[in-house]
Amino acid sequence: MKVALIILVFLLTPFTVITIFRKYKIAKSIGTVIMAYVVGVLLSFLFGFTDFLSQGEATSLNNIQQLLRDVSVLLGIPLILFSSDFKLWTKSLPKTMIALTSGVVAVFFAVLVSFFIFKDSGIPTVDKVASLMAGFYTGAAMNFFALGNIFKVDESVILLTFSAEMLMVFPLLVFITAGGYKFFRRLLPYKDEAHTIDPNDPVLKDVEQYDGMLTKKVFPKTMFGFLLSVSCLAVGAGLSFLITGGLNDLVVILTITTLAILASFHQKIRTLPRTFELGMFFILIFCVIIASQFDVSLFGSNALNILLFVLTITVLLIVFLLILCRIFKISGDLFSVTIVGMTCSPPFIPPIVSAMGNRKVLISGIAIGLVGYAIGTYFGVGVYYLLQLF
């Protein structure tokens, strides 16, 4: 009964968060993802510091958490990518593509250098952990956990690494929002490009526009997008059985990502209403679940090395990206949304843009975050196989 109640909380949290997000202005400045994380962390304290659950119930809950987490990622990825107009963005936002490419290059060298520094530090499967972080710093948490499934990384190592990343990313997010963007403007005093995309484009005007999702005009089309997402998952699973004889996470995840990107080039699929928002619903389930798995007891003997590993990557990423942005004359504000879009995902962009008072970089930040979603898993897999050479 207790486990069923907690699962119900997981499933109802997105509805509550979205309702608050729609009604209150302050919630829009915080963002749905952060609110979901807060609920999850509160639940984690409930699990960790009370006798709320017996040992058997805790084991059962953990299994269900992993199942819901994996399913929400597999369904959320295609839905979010369906509405992405990658072709238009690459043509219309040259500076954005330079910033994104610079970000990926910076992540690559930050991970590579950190790997050589820490490869003999005792971090379990350090090559896999490095690859997880390559995926995270390119395409945020969704790709991080997808890569964890692909590489069969121990659950405790995944959660510890993710917790360490959150300890680095959220202070950076707060720093930028609280005025740190002014520091980056001084380092990168360049003008933002004028983009040719219609700022009233319904896909981009509001990153999370949940109004009207249940109307007769919108709901059937959104459900068609959901069925397409399920179809991508089914094809990925079928292809996995055909190639490996079973469910292989690498085949499944790369297949659904590839199919979703290809589908986004079809105008009728790309213009399906509210597929991004439905994808965000699944991502909010994902966020509350992973935050609920935070456990301070994980910070044991390997915690310091992993924390230092993540800190080193974060610092090197910022330094390398600043250097590249200086070379290519990328503005301080575009630098800020590049970092946030890659490490935190598109829903974090509007609050940052609002704090900076510069809507010129809104679409750039969203584009970078969505492309990061699309390439993060590929990138992490590529980094892993490259590290095998060392």
Side-chain angles (χ1 to χ4, degrees), residues 93-103 176 181-182 184-185 188-195 321-322 324-326 328-342 349 352-353 356 358-369:
L93 298 169
K95 281 286 187 181
T96 300
M97 291 301 107
I98 293 173
L100 172 63
T101 304
S102 299
I176 293 175
Y181 60 86
K182 296 177 182 178
F184 297 128
R185 284 175 178 175
L188 302 168
Y190 308 112
K191 292 184 179 180
D192 294 300
E193 66 175 340
H195 58 72
L321 184 54
L322 279 171
L324 290 172
C325 286
R326 185 81 184 185
F328 293 110
K329 300 186 184 305
I330 301 297
S331 74
D333 286 0
L334 184 51
F335 167 87
S336 295
V337 297
T338 299
I339 285 285
V340 174
M342 291 176 65
I349 297 299
I352 295 294
V353 169
M356 294 190 301
N358 181 9
R359 288 185 60 84
K360 287 183 179 180
V361 295
L362 173 63
I363 294 176
S364 297
I366 295 169
I368 288 169

Side-chain angles (χ1 to χ4, degrees), residues 27 34 80 113 197 340 352 390:
I34 291 181
I80 284 178
V113 171
I197 297 177
V340 174
I352 295 294
F390 306 110

Side-chain angles (χ1 to χ4, degrees), residues 48 85 293 370 378:
D85 195 343
Q293 293 180 303
L370 288 172
Y378 299 113

Side-chain angles (χ1 to χ4, degrees), residues 49 68-69 86 100 111 120 127 136 165 213 217 219 228 232 256 260 277 316 340 350 356 371:
F49 297 103
L68 286 176
R69 187 186 72 193
F86 297 109
L100 172 63
V111 169
D120 297 319
D127 51 348
F136 178 88
E165 286 168 335
M213 282 191 69
K217 184 178 179 180
F219 185 73
L228 285 177
C232 290
I256 65 173
E277 284 74 15
L316 288 178
V340 174
M356 294 190 301
V371 175

